[in-house]
Amino acid sequence: MLLEILALPVEDKIFYAVLVFSWTVYIWEAYLAYRQRKIYSTTTHVPTELGKIMDSETFEKSRLYQLDKSNFGFWSGLYSEAEGTLILLLGGIPFLWKVSGILTARFGFGPEYEISQSLVFLMLATLFSALTGLPWSLYSTFVIEEKHGFNQQTVGFFLKDALKKFAVTQCILLPVTSLLLYIIKIGGDYFFIYAWLFTLIVSLILVTIYADYIAPLFDKFTPLPDGELKSEIESMSKSIYFPLTKIYVVEGSKRSSHSNAYFYGFFKNKRIVLFDTLLEDYSPLNKSGEKEPGTGEENEAAGNESKPKPKNKKQGCSNPEVLAVLGHELGHWKLGHTVKNEAAGNESKPKPKNKKQGCSNPEVLAVLGHELGHWKLGHTVKNIVISQMNSFLCFFLFAVLIGRKELFMAFGFHDTQPTLIGLMIIFQFIFSPYNELLSFCLTVLSRRFEFQADAFARNMGRSSELYSALIKLNKDNLGFPVADWLFSMWHYSHPPLLERLRALTGPKQD
């Protein structure tokens, strides 16, 4: 068997090595997911150390939510791996390239117009990916997220949003790809330097314009109104010399009840974005039990002028009707219903009072103190530097490997060596072992950065507020606080909740 493998042509060895590594990674990921799924299945009671921060009802909800997500992830991951394998085995990539050539030929563009054919190929590939992924997205949104109370979308809104995302992606992806391919074609021996610089400029531009021009196409952004919270945010920013220019609230609640916050911008033009679901005073989910404007007593002050009451239409019951209602209520007492309720139901399940979504203003400030800590400690700049060093290295190695015909032959391209296909083969398949190792290293680094940002907020005197905010956000997002050590080590970019809480209450560390 080993001799037969060694006797295979180089291109076959490359092809089967890619397949074997892909399935090795999948099996490893499936094993990790199994370990974590076992935690979800067996940990049915709140651990003693969590008793003070999570009630049994929330614990069970988060357990079931994460269990459903894990089961869904198993099947969607298996489908994705099987689909990718079939595409490679059946020659899906060269077939789609051939179809792209036929389509461009109908418009008078021959094989010499490689960039045009590459753009058609890219558009067809992303369309195929969107269509095959759509059923999984629908199930995730309208079954799992809906079941656990997170989904706020209608099917129509979801489909319209998906079409809009696809259109915006094409508007950005196609011109950028065409320019990148052109730079590689004319760049000579040092094209990798020009290609890297181009992608650097594009990424910086996209980061700069995303929240101002792209994100508003999908969500509504409104300036945070003047008030105590805005003043406190501005004051905290000034205290650490953060060059804040604007604060926005984004209407994330129309999609999901999950919450988030982030900042963006370069140099002296920083903006902060808060999801409305993060803010206790803004979250629409906190208003479901409140009186709607223009009803009840508010009508007398605000609504009667616009909607006059019809004459001779009295509200309430006549005296005999009131006596009948009281007779019904006294019946509960006479028949012992009240005593039974007190003995069996009311003491064991008290109604939660003022159970709101989101964080109070001091807690929001603590969360922002954490986020600003990332900026102050240079985490953002460090991540950009690491990303660009990796990008430069990948383009350099691409320049070394692009001339190897066996790489193209391994994936069914025996007569042509399209640049776009070379990018796909080298970046997606050949670099996959390196990408897995890099991903793990960045995950470890991210957890370290999170601890440092928590410590920064603590040093600002917001330890207790961040402590309570982390608990609230974990509850609002139904995060499960118990994790398998190997699963969390490989996947968690943020430390588990208990580790962060312990660090906040333990002795200060540099």
Side-chain angles (χ1 to χ4, degrees):
M1 182 66 178
L2 182 60
L3 292 176
E4 292 178 357
I5 294 174
L6 293 175
L8 290 172
V10 175
E11 56 268 24
D12 289 346
K13 291 178 183 177
I14 293 172
F15 180 80
Y16 290 118
V18 167
L19 274 183
V20 168
F21 184 79
S22 179
W23 276 97
T24 301
V25 170
Y26 169 75
I27 292 171
W28 168 247
E29 296 280 1
Y31 168 69
L32 294 177
Y34 164 76
R35 291 174 60 105
Q36 184 62 23
R37 193 157 51 248
K38 192 174 180 180
I39 295 288
Y40 297 145
S41 300
T42 57
T43 312
T44 56
H45 299 287
V46 183
T48 305
E49 58 185 332
L50 292 172
K52 294 182 179 180
I53 65 173
M54 180 173 279
D55 59 85
S56 58
E57 181 186 359
T58 305
F59 185 84
E60 180 66 7
K61 284 182 178 179
S62 66
R63 185 183 76 85
L64 294 176
Y65 175 55
Q66 297 298 337
L67 186 59
D68 283 349
K69 285 178 62 179
S70 181
N71 289 329
F72 172 79
F74 169 78
W75 293 109
S76 62
L78 179 60
Y79 168 80
S80 178
E81 187 65 24
E83 179 190 84
T85 300
L86 287 174
I87 288 173
L88 291 179
L89 290 174
L90 300 177
I93 298 176
F95 171 77
L96 193 62
W97 180 259
K98 184 178 179 181
V99 171
S100 304
I102 294 172
L103 290 175
T104 52
R106 290 186 177 182
F107 292 93
F109 297 101
E112 66 274 13
Y113 292 92
E114 183 187 311
I115 294 179
S116 299
Q117 186 173 349
S118 298
L119 297 183
V120 175
F121 173 88
L122 195 59
M123 187 163 57
L124 292 176
T126 52
L127 179 61
F128 174 81
S129 178
L131 292 176
T132 56
L134 183 60
W136 298 98
S137 296
L138 285 169
Y139 187 89
S140 174
T141 302
F142 294 100
V143 177
I144 296 178
E145 298 294 307
E146 184 80 28
K147 174 183 176 181
H148 295 279
F150 287 113
N151 177 47
Q152 306 296 323
Q153 305 177 71
T154 63
V155 176
F157 178 89
F158 177 91
L159 294 176
K160 179 181 177 183
D161 206 46
L163 287 172
K164 194 186 296 184
K165 286 178 182 177
F166 182 81
V168 171
T169 300
Q170 299 307 310
C171 289
I172 297 172
L173 183 62
L174 297 182
V176 169
T177 302
S178 62
L179 286 173
L180 177 62
L181 295 177
Y182 182 72
I183 290 170
I184 293 173
K185 288 287 185 184
I186 68 168
D189 293 338
Y190 298 100
F191 76 84
F192 62 94
I193 298 177
Y194 310 131
W196 167 69
L197 288 173
F198 173 72
T199 55
L200 170 63
I201 293 169
V202 169
S203 62
L204 293 178
I205 291 174
L206 288 177
V207 168
T208 303
I209 69 172
Y210 173 77
D212 287 327
Y213 299 103
I214 300 175
L217 297 173
F218 303 95
D219 296 302
K220 183 180 179 182
F221 285 70
T222 55
L224 180 67
D226 292 335
E228 181 183 356
L229 179 59
K230 183 176 181 180
S231 299
E232 291 286 347
I233 293 174
E234 291 173 340
S235 175
M236 182 171 65
S237 300
K238 288 179 181 177
S239 70
I240 61 170
Y241 306 102
F242 180 75
L244 177 64
T245 56
K246 293 180 182 179
I247 309 171
Y248 292 110
V249 177
V250 59
E251 190 183 8
S253 56
K254 71 178 182 179
R255 300 174 187 279
S256 170
S257 57
H258 290 295
S259 51
N260 197 9
Y262 62 91
F263 69 87
Y264 69 100
F266 290 101
F267 307 113
K268 301 296 183 181
N269 188 27
K270 306 286 188 185
R271 290 98 182 273
I272 289 175
V273 177
L274 306 170
F275 278 55
D276 58 354
T277 47
L278 176 68
L279 308 176
E280 191 176 73
D281 297 334
Y282 282 81
S283 177
L285 301 180
N286 294 336
K287 301 176 183 178
S288 58
E290 299 175 2
K291 290 182 178 180
E292 294 182 6
T295 63
E297 294 179 358
E298 293 177 358
N299 239 355
E300 296 181 3
N304 289 345
E305 292 181 5
S306 60
K307 291 186 179 180
K309 294 180 180 179
K311 295 181 180 180
N312 301 323
K313 189 173 182 179
K314 294 182 177 180
Q315 185 183 37
C317 300
S318 64
N319 288 349
E321 291 167 339
V322 170
L323 290 172
V325 172
L326 287 175
H328 169 90
E329 297 300 327
L330 291 174
H332 285 302
W333 170 78
K334 186 66 176 177
L335 297 171
H337 297 167
T338 308
V339 176
K340 292 174 184 176
N341 276 341
E342 291 178 356
N346 292 346
E347 292 182 3
S348 61
K349 292 184 179 180
K351 292 182 179 179
K353 295 180 180 180
N354 301 323
K355 190 174 182 181
K356 292 185 175 182
Q357 187 199 40
C359 298
S360 63
N361 286 356
E363 291 166 340
V364 171
L365 290 169
V367 171
L368 286 178
H370 167 95
E371 295 299 328
L372 294 178
H374 285 304
W375 171 79
K376 189 68 174 179
L377 297 171
H379 296 167
T380 308
V381 174
K382 291 173 184 175
N383 281 329
I384 291 175
V385 170
I386 292 171
S387 173
Q388 293 309 314
M389 288 175 62
N390 173 64
S391 178
F392 181 83
L393 175 63
C394 288
F395 274 114
F396 172 75
L397 294 176
F398 170 77
V400 173
L401 297 173
I402 188 63
R404 304 295 294 268
K405 291 183 179 180
E406 54 268 27
L407 290 177
F408 291 89
M409 293 173 65
F411 294 91
F413 290 84
H414 299 279
D415 302 322
T416 58
Q417 299 180 42
T419 303
L420 179 65
I421 301 301
L423 285 168
M424 179 185 296
I425 291 172
I426 295 171
F427 277 75
Q428 184 176 344
F429 300 128
I430 306 302
F431 287 171
S432 53
Y434 166 74
N435 291 336
E436 289 294 325
L437 178 62
L438 178 66
S439 176
F440 173 70
C441 293
L442 291 178
T443 299
V444 173
L445 181 64
S446 174
R447 284 198 297 269
R448 180 177 175 82
F449 284 170
E450 292 301 318
F451 277 126
Q452 291 176 354
D454 282 350
F456 183 86
R458 177 182 178 177
N459 293 335
M460 293 179 73
R462 302 187 182 274
S463 176
S464 60
E465 292 87 353
L466 183 59
Y467 187 98
S468 59
L470 290 174
I471 294 172
K472 280 189 177 181
L473 292 174
N474 186 79
K475 289 180 179 179
D476 288 347
N477 293 286
L478 291 184
F480 195 67
V482 183
D484 174 75
W485 72 271
L486 191 57
F487 180 87
S488 63
M489 181 186 72
W490 188 260
H491 281 294
Y492 283 10
S493 60
H494 288 58
L497 176 65
L498 278 177
E499 292 183 22
R500 297 182 72 178
L501 297 182
R502 291 191 197 109
L504 284 172
T505 55
K508 289 189 177 182
Q509 298 177 357
D510 292 335

